């Protein structure tokens, strides 16, 4: 099936001929390419025209100058979705594309989106590009011609889609290009197909109503605001983020500085004590250095004294050695002889040890040979035992083979696995059927339980509401529910989530406040608006932000949140009660209200209740004059009238004018009885829930009975299946064992052969072991003979050692005799040597102490202290004992000073450094905050007035559109303290007596959302920055009256001069709709009976001619000019229904 587009041109000139009217559309569809034209020659020439030309011909005298830069002049498709080949020539104003469902209207929208380089997810359709290629073909092409800038050629953007690779290739004016260049061209022409305010395809209509107010503001600015406003908004967002971060950093920095200074101040007392102690420690350190210098000086003096002592001892030892030398010479010779004999004894002792070691080694050789003989004997005995065991195993295997062969000759019982499996499957199939029935019953029971819980919940809710209606608070909640459901829902949420806030957040004053004296109720309410009764009151900025985010962004509720930081004492009355009574007034409004102090303070802040006076009785003229002369009271109510006094300086000093209005009956804070219809409705809901709950219980009992019966039946069937399966397994096991017997017999025969081979191998092993055993016995005998030889060597070495020991005893005896004769001389020499050694040792110790003392002094003293010579001078004037005494005194004084925090001084300095660093950071944050505040003020002073102006123009157009259908609409800007939450707020009302409600996906019907959406888009038409806008099937779901009114406004707005191009896609239209000569109607018809020639049956020129004739007969007295134009317009609309 192929779709064939037919384009109706706008009537650009008076009295055009039919050929002129229909000379611009080129139709290629079905299995061939056809032109529907008034002239055959024009068709042939157009067919020859190059498809990549930079500009398309404009029929009916319409010049390309009527198109705004970026508007779509022409769209050409080939093998795209349902189209074989088609070409659309579009008008510069309103283009209506009509035709039955499924003919390819939305495919034209898809072609525009994809052809201009935007992603497929913008359409809400298929995401793979290859899916847009017509079935049965490999490639699809799209060609979109856009109006160029003044004085430039048009832009022809081409797209080639390949199904197999799911790829895209773009061209601009026939030149291959990248997707990035196409995107840059779209940005330059302000084409925003991904903006729902410009491009609203069929699948995205519902999504438009789902846009958050914040998103709607962004989309609106992109569609209707100049580029500099969008840039300003982006800069403001960035600046506000920087501001929030800088403000947070500055606040935290200030708190941190204060905290650090407090911590530092807490250490002041300890710091003073530690500084005093530090002075003593300085003196101690100096004394310790002086002690080291004094110790070095004393050590150096002791070294000089010890040197003298050593020299004296060396002189005495030298004289004594010289005098005793002749007497000691014989002693020395004998001593050398003794030492020579000792050496011989040691040598012979070593030889004896070696001989003993060799004998020990020979013993170990005998033991090793004995062990080897025993091991081989054991192995031989074990091998003989194993041989006997193998012979027994061989006999067992032979016996087992005989038994297995006998069993195999006996056939098993008959076994058919397929039959047994069939019986089991039949039973299991029956069980599955029963399980399915059980599952279905379970599902029904689950559904019943869910319905039962819902009914119980409905019953409890209805009963609770009925009970609540009997209380005053319940009546107030019922009234709130009827007045504003959003506020009631918000109040219900707030009561459950008070823990999320820093301080208590108060509910609507209609609930939390009351009038002390009912007689004053109407007078009090005369000064309050609806939002004053229904607003919420927060006590902190954070709570205000939290509640606003929850209600506005999360729950999508329309409710007012206010913040008040003061109490009622901050709002002083302008005069005393006595002065007020003298003027005939009973009191101020604040005096007659009771409720939470912060809520009353909020009302004073918003409505100045502390300055508004009221009285039950009317006031006299004299009292009125006094009030106006007093000047402290500008608004008051007395009797049933409300007065508002205004100064009129233009009429002279003291001149005033007064606006007097009637005090109406208040809707809140009244004692009106509750609406009985509400209670009756709740009782009806309760009775219905009870009845339905009883029916559900009975059904539950019935289903449970069925469930028990089914489960018992299933259990019995499962038991039968297990019995059959057990019988099958027993037969199968017997059959499997019989089938396995040949393999087992063969396996046992192989085992028999293996055992015979093992017996042969065992006999060979026993022969080898016997030979090894014989060789081991011979080796043992050889080891015994070697041991006898080693014992002879020991006897010889022992005899030589004894001879040497005798000679040593004789030499030592001679040496001792000589030594006794010279004992006194030797003793004197030894004493002198000991004295010299002791002096040398003492001198070395003192010298080391001096070296250590010098090193310690040099380490302790700096280079500067050593060069100054202060410590050297002090050391000469004192002693070590005096320095140590002074040091102990200073240490005692230092120990007497104790601080609570021994680290206070270091911490005090650390805090000082941290404070300096934090102050530097705080200064930078403050400077940054001041800078960003200045930037915000500069940009916002330009952006906000223009935003207000833009939204005001949108609101005027939107409100006017709704007034034309006897409804009401309003567009405003929600300005939140958080700039990211600034938003467009659309409110609509479709029925008299209702309040304006925010447009969203929940409150309005589909038709109402469609009307609101198209009216909002039409409100942007005169301000549109985009060159064209598309709306797909927006009129679906509208009732005829709304559709006709919407169409009237659309034609009026879209066909004005100098507006952007507009596309409306719809499958049907009402008859008799308004037609404008600047609009163009495109009819798409497809199907198997579509005229293959394209001009015989589907000749719209003939349709228009027929309609003109009918119109001429129905308007006989109209002028020829009016008749022709009217018939032309009528033909446009009637032809669109074909």
């Amino acid at each position: 099936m192929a779709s064939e587009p037919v384009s109706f041109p706008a009537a650009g000139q008076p009295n055009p001929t039919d050929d002129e009217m229909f000379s611009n559309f080129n139709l290629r569809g079905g299995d061939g390419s056809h032109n529907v034209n008034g002239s055959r020659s024009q068709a042939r020439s157009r067919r020859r025209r190059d498809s990549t030309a930079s500009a398309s011909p404009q029929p009916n005298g319409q010049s390309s100058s009527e198109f705004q830069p970026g508007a779509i002049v022409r769209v050409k498709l080939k093998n795209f979705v349902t189209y074989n080949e088609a070409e659309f020539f579009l008008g510069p104003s309103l283009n209506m594309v009509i035709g039955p469902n499924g003919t390819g209207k939305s495919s034209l929208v898809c072609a525009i989106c994809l052809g201009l380089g935007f992603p497929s997810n913008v359409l809400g359709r298929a995401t793979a590009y290859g899916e847009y290629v017509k079935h049965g073909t490999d490639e699809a092409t799209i060609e979109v011609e856009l109006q160029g800038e003044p004085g430039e050629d048009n832009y022809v953007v081409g797209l080639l889609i390949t199904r197999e690779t799911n790829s895209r290739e773009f061209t601009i004016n026939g030149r291959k290009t990248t997707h990035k260049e196409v995107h840059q061209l779209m940005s330059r022409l302000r084409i925003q197909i991904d903006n729902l305010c410009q491009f609203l395809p069929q699948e995205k209509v519902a999504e438009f109503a789902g846009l958050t107010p914040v998103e709607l503001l962004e989309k609106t600015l992109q569609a209707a605001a100049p580029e500099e406003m969008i840039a300003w908004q982006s800069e403001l967002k960035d600046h506000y983020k920087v501001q929030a971060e800088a403000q947070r950093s500055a606040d935290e920095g200030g708190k941190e500085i204060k905290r650090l200074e407090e911590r530092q101040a807490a250490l002041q007392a300890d710091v003073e004590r530690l500084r005093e102690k530090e002075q003593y420690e300085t003196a101690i350190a100096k004394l310790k250095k002086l002690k080291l210098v004094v110790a070095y000086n004393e050590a150096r003096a002791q070294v000089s004294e010890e040197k003298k002592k050593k020299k004296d001892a060396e002189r005495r030892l030298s004289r004594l050695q010289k005098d005793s030398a002749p007497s000691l010479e014989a002693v020395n010779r004998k001593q050398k002889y003794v030492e020579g004999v000792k050496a011989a004894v040691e040598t012979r002792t070593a030889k004896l040890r070696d001989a003993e070691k060799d004998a020990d080694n020979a013993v170990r050789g005998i033991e090793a040979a004995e062990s080897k003989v025993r091991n081989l004997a054991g192995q031989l005995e074990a091998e003989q035992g194993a041989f006997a065991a193998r012979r027994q195993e061989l006999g067992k295997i032979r016996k087992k083979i005989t038994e297995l062969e006998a069993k195999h000759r006996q056939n098993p019982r008959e076994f058919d696995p397929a039959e047994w499996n069939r019986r089991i499957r039949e039973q299991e199939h029956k069980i599955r059927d029963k399980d399915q029935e059980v599952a279905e019953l379970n599902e029904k029971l689950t559904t019943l339980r869910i319905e039962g819980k819902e009914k119980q919940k409905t019953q409890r809710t209805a009963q609770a509401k009925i009970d609540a209606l009997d209380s005053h608070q319940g009546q107030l909640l019922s009234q709130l529910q009827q007045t504003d459901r959003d506020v009631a829902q918000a109040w219900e949420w707030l009561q459950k989530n008070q823990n999320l806030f820093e301080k208590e957040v108060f509910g609507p004053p209609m609930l939390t406040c009351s009038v002390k004296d009912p007689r004053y109720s109407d007078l009090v309410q005369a000064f309050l608006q609806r939002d004053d009764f229904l607003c919420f009151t927060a006590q902190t900025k954070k709570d205000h932000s939290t509640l606003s985010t929850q209600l506005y962004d999360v729950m999508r509720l329309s409710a007012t949140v206010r913040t008040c930081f003061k109490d009622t004492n901050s709002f002083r009355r302008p005069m005393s009660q006595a002065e007020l009574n003298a003027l005939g007034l009973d009191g101020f409004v604040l005096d007659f209200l009771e409720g939470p102090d912060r809520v009353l303070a909020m009302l004073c802040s918003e409505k100045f209740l502390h300055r508004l006076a009221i009285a039950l009785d009317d006031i006299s003229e004299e009292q009125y004059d006094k009030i106006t002369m007093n000047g402290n009271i500008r608004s008051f109510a007395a009797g049933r009238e409300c007065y508002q006094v205004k100064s009129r300086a233009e009429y002279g000093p003291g001149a005033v004018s007064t606006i007097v209005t009637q005090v109406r009956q208040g809707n809140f804070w009244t004692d009106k009885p509750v609406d009985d219809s509400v209670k009756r409705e709740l009782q009806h809901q309760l009775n219905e829930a009870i009845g339905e709950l009883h029916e559900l219980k009975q059904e539950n009992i019935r289903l449970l009975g069925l469930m028990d019966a089914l489960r018992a039946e299933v259990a019995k069937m499962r038991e039968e299946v297990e019995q059959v399966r057990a019988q099958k397994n027993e037969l199968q096991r017997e059959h499997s064992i019989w089938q396995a017997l040949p393999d087992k017999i063969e396996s046992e025969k192989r085992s028999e052969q293996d055992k015979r081979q093992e017996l042969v191998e065992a006999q060979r092993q026993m022969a080898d072991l016997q030979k090894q055993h014989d060789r081991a016995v011979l080796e043992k005998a050889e080891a015994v003979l070697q041991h006898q030889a080693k014992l002879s060597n020991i006897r010889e070495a022992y005899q030589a050692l004894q001879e040497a020991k005798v000679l040593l005893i004789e030499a030592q005896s001679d040496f001792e005799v000589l030594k006794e004769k010279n004992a006194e001389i030797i003793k004197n020499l030894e004493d002198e040597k000991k004295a010299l050694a002791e002096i040398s040792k003492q001198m070395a110790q003192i010298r080391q102490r001096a070296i250590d003392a010098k090193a310690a002094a040099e380490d302790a003293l700096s280079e500067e202290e050593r060069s100054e010579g202060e410590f050297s001078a002090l050391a000469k004037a004192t002693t070590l004992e005096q320095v140590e005494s002074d040091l102990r005194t200073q240490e005692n004084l230092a120990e007497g000073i104790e601080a609570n925090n021994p680290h206070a001084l270091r911490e005090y300095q650390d805090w000082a450094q941290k404070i300096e660093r934090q102050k530097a950071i705080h200064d930078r944050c403050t400077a940054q905050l001041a800078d960003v505040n200045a930037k915000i003020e500069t940009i916002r002073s330009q952006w906000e007035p223009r935003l207000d102006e833009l939204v005001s123009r949108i609101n005027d157009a939107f409100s006017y559109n709704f007034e034309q259908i006897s409804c009401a609409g309003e567009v405003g800007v929600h300005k939140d303290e958080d700039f990211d939450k600034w938003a467009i707020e659309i409110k609509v009302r479709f029925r008299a007596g209702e309040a304006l409600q925010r447009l969203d996906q929940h409150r309005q019907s589909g038709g109402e959302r469609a009307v609101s959406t198209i009216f909002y888009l039409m409100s942007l038409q005169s301000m549109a920055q985009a060159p064209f806008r598309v709306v797909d099937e927006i009129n679906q779901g509208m009732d005829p009256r709304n559709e006709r009114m919407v169409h009237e406004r659309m034609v009026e707005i879209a066909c004005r001069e100098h507006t952007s191009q507009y596309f409306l896609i719809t499958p049907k239209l009402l008859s008799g709709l308004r037609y404008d000569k600047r609009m163009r109607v495109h009819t798409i018809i497809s199907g198997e009976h579509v005229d293959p020639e394209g001009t015989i049956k589907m000749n719209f020129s003939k349709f228009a001619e027929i309609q003109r004739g009918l119109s001429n007969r129905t308007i006989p007295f109209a002028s020829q000019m009016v008749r022709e134009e009217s018939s032309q317009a009528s033909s446009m609309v009637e032809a669109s229904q074909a």
Side-chain angles (χ1 to χ4, degrees), residues 171 336 364 398 794 1084:
T171 61
K336 289 180 181 179
R364 283 194 289 272
R398 188 63 236 166
I794 292 175
I1084 300 179

Side-chain angles (χ1 to χ4, degrees), residues 1053-1070:
I1053 293 172
C1055 292
R1056 292 173 182 165
E1057 292 284 346
H1058 309 301
T1059 60
S1060 63
Q1061 192 179 32
Y1062 209 98
F1063 291 85
L1064 175 65
I1065 317 295
T1066 179
K1068 56 89 177 177
L1069 286 174
L1070 301 173

Side-chain angles (χ1 to χ4, degrees), residues 722-983:
E722 289 302 320
Q723 292 175 357
V724 174
R725 187 176 282 113
Q727 295 173 5
K728 175 210 168 186
N729 291 340
E730 184 179 358
L731 288 174
Q732 188 173 13
R733 183 176 60 80
E734 291 180 2
H735 194 72
S736 298
I737 291 173
W738 183 83
Q739 288 180 330
L741 285 176
D743 293 335
K744 287 187 176 180
I745 293 171
E746 184 64 28
S747 176
E748 291 298 327
K749 286 182 178 180
R750 286 196 299 271
S751 298
E752 179 188 12
Q753 186 65 29
D754 292 341
K755 288 299 178 183
R756 292 184 185 278
Q757 185 66 31
E758 288 177 4
L759 287 174
V760 174
E761 182 64 25
Q763 289 174 341
R764 188 185 62 78
Q765 283 288 105
M766 286 189 295
D768 290 343
L769 287 173
Q770 186 62 51
K771 292 178 182 179
Q772 293 178 21
H773 180 266
D774 294 342
R775 284 196 297 270
V777 171
L778 292 176
E779 290 174 358
K780 177 183 176 182
E782 292 176 357
V784 171
L785 294 175
Q786 290 178 1
H787 180 258
Q788 292 297 328
K790 299 297 182 184
L791 290 176
S792 298
N793 294 337
I794 292 175
R795 283 193 295 271
E796 294 175 358
Y798 179 76
Q799 186 176 358
L801 176 62
Q802 292 303 319
E803 292 176 354
K805 285 183 177 180
V806 170
L807 292 176
L808 178 61
I809 292 170
E810 293 174 352
Q812 287 179 337
S813 176
D814 294 341
F815 175 71
E816 291 297 331
V817 170
L818 290 174
K819 188 176 178 181
E820 287 179 2
K821 292 179 179 180
N822 296 281
E824 185 177 356
I825 297 172
I826 294 172
K827 183 177 180 300
N828 292 335
L829 285 173
E830 292 296 329
D831 290 343
E832 287 298 331
K833 288 179 180 180
K834 288 180 180 180
L836 178 60
E838 184 65 27
I839 291 171
S840 299
K841 180 180 178 183
Q842 186 71 19
M843 179 179 163
Q845 292 175 351
I846 294 172
R847 179 181 287 109
Q848 186 60 45
R849 285 202 300 272
I851 292 171
D852 293 343
K854 181 180 180 182
E858 288 177 347
D859 291 341
L861 297 179
S862 64
E863 185 67 31
E864 183 179 357
E865 289 172 334
R866 290 198 297 271
S867 62
E868 289 177 353
E870 176 187 0
F871 286 94
S872 298
L874 291 173
K876 293 177 181 178
T878 186
T879 63
L880 186 60
E881 290 78 4
Q882 182 62 41
V883 173
E884 290 177 344
S885 175
D886 293 343
L887 181 60
R888 285 194 296 272
T889 301
Q890 293 296 324
E891 287 175 343
N892 291 334
L893 291 173
E895 289 174 358
I897 298 174
E898 291 293 338
N900 295 329
N901 182 359
H903 307 293
L905 186 59
R906 177 175 54 78
E907 292 178 4
Y908 186 87
Q909 295 170 348
D910 292 342
W911 290 123
Q913 294 176 358
K914 290 179 181 179
I915 291 170
E916 289 301 319
R917 289 197 297 269
Q918 194 61 43
K919 283 183 177 180
I921 295 172
H922 184 265
D923 291 343
R924 289 197 297 272
C925 291
T926 304
Q928 183 185 19
L929 184 60
D931 180 62
V932 75
N933 285 338
K935 292 179 180 178
I936 290 173
E937 181 63 29
T938 301
I939 298 174
R940 184 169 173 176
S941 63
Q942 303 175 71
W943 180 78
E944 187 174 359
R946 294 185 64 175
L947 174 65
D948 292 337
E949 179 187 358
L950 177 69
V951 176
S952 176
R953 291 172 60 190
I954 296 173
N955 178 57
D956 292 343
F958 189 73
S959 301
Y960 178 77
N961 291 338
F962 266 87
E963 288 174 2
Q964 303 311 302
I965 61 172
S966 300
C967 298
E970 178 181 285
V971 179
V973 180
H974 172 75
K975 300 180 180 180
D976 197 272
E977 293 181 2
D978 186 351
F979 186 75
D980 285 337
K981 296 180 181 177
W982 279 46

